[in-house]
Amino acid sequence: MRLAPDHAATLAAMAAAHRHGHTQVNQCQTIRHWQPSAATYCYQTHIAVADQHRDRLEWLTDVFFNAATLTRQPWYPQFAGGSSQTPGETPSPGISRHQFIWGRFHVGLPSPRYYRQLVSLARPDASTAVIVARSVTEGPPLPAGARLAYTLDPNGEVLHWENGRIHWHHICCTPGIALLPGRLDRWFINSLRRLGLDRAERDTYRAEAEGLRDWLQSAEPEDALDFTH
C-alpha cells in the first residue's frame, strides 16, 4: 500500500504526456513502450470524450473505483463480475481511498481470467483522478478453480476533465494471460508483441475506449449501472 502514491504520480505523468501529444477528440490512440522493470510492454490508451460536464468527473471516478462491483461494465462487455473488500489499514498519505478487489473477464479463452488487485484512488488536483491497480494476494475469496492473471506496474486508469472533455487513460502492463506456466507465458506474449502480432490486444483497448465514449454520450449513461453492493 505504501507504494501507491509513487505509482499514482507515475500514472498521472504518463497520462499528461500522452494527452498533450494526442489532441484528437472522440478518437482513441494506443501507444506502447518497453517497461524494463516489468520486462514486457506497457500499453497506453487515451480518448477525450467531448460534451461532458465537469461534475461527471466525480461520478465517473466513483464508477471506475468501484467497477469490480458492477453487475456489468457498459464500456467493456468482457467483464463478468467481481467482488471487493475494504482493507482495515488506513490509506497511505496522498491516497484518498483503497480497496481489495477481484474481477472476472472473458478474454477469448475456454475459461475466464481473474485479476486480484489492490485499487488505490489518488486526486493530484481537482480535475484529475488516478486509480492505481496492483496485483496482490490479499482480498475477498476467489471462486473455486479461478485462473489468475496478473498486472505489473505501471497499471491503472487516469481520468481528467478539461475544456468540456473527459480524458480517459487506460495504462496496462501485463506479462501474459496465464496461458502458459510462469516465464513461458511472458516469453509467449512478448514474442507476439515484438512480431507485431498484438492486434487483438490493441483491438481490445480500442473497443473499450470507444465503448466508454459511446456510453458517456448516450442519453442517460447513469441508468445503465447497477452495483452489486
Side-chain angles (χ1 to χ4, degrees):
M1 295 183 187
R2 60 185 175 78
L3 298 175
D6 288 343
H7 291 310
T10 297
L11 291 173
M14 292 171 67
H18 195 174
R19 67 175 172 268
H20 290 156
H22 176 236
T23 57
Q24 292 175 300
V25 180
N26 290 333
Q27 296 185 32
C28 69
Q29 181 188 64
T30 296
I31 59 177
R32 74 175 193 182
H33 70 271
W34 179 257
Q35 183 67 31
S37 60
T40 191
Y41 289 92
C42 177
Y43 287 77
Q44 299 173 235
T45 300
H46 167 247
I47 192 166
V49 183
D51 303 321
Q52 301 297 305
H53 193 274
R54 196 202 181 290
D55 290 346
R56 183 163 276 181
L57 174 65
E58 307 307 319
W59 164 76
L60 192 61
T61 297
D62 194 59
V63 169
F64 268 92
F65 180 74
N66 294 293
T69 58
L70 285 168
T71 54
R72 70 183 187 94
Q73 295 177 359
W75 65 94
Y76 193 42
Q78 290 91 337
F79 173 75
S83 184
S84 70
Q85 182 182 88
T86 302
E89 184 177 337
T90 301
S92 301
I95 299 299
S96 59
R97 287 187 283 165
H98 63 185
Q99 62 180 328
F100 292 119
I101 64 102
W102 61 255
R104 178 173 61 244
F105 300 87
H106 294 297
V107 294
L109 296 172
S111 61
R113 293 304 189 260
Y114 289 73
Y115 290 86
R116 195 175 200 176
Q117 297 181 309
L118 170 66
V119 176
S120 305
L121 173 63
R123 297 301 303 267
D125 58 65
S127 297
T128 307
V130 182
I131 300 170
V132 182
R134 305 184 61 238
S135 283
V136 292
T137 58
E138 302 170 79
L142 288 163
R147 188 88 175 261
L148 277 172
Y150 301 90
T151 58
L152 302 171
D153 301 315
N155 189 80
E157 323 283 337
V158 179
L159 298 165
H160 177 77
W161 185 89
E162 187 176 4
N163 297 328
R165 301 166 187 166
I166 284 183
H167 295 259
W168 175 69
H169 299 267
H170 177 60
I171 299 172
C172 183
C173 187
T174 176
I177 52 175
L179 187 63
L180 299 172
R183 295 181 179 179
L184 286 176
D185 203 45
R186 189 193 304 256
W187 174 85
F188 176 71
I189 199 167
N190 279 346
S191 297
L192 293 180
R193 290 166 173 171
R194 289 192 182 102
L195 293 170
L197 301 176
D198 57 352
R199 180 175 177 177
E201 188 172 9
R202 289 176 177 270
D203 284 350
T204 296
Y205 301 138
R206 183 179 67 251
E208 191 173 355
E210 292 175 347
L212 180 68
R213 175 201 63 200
D214 295 346
W215 173 57
L216 289 179
Q217 293 184 333
S218 64
E220 298 291 341
E222 294 86 348
D223 293 344
L225 296 177
D226 182 18
F227 290 93
T228 56
H229 62 274

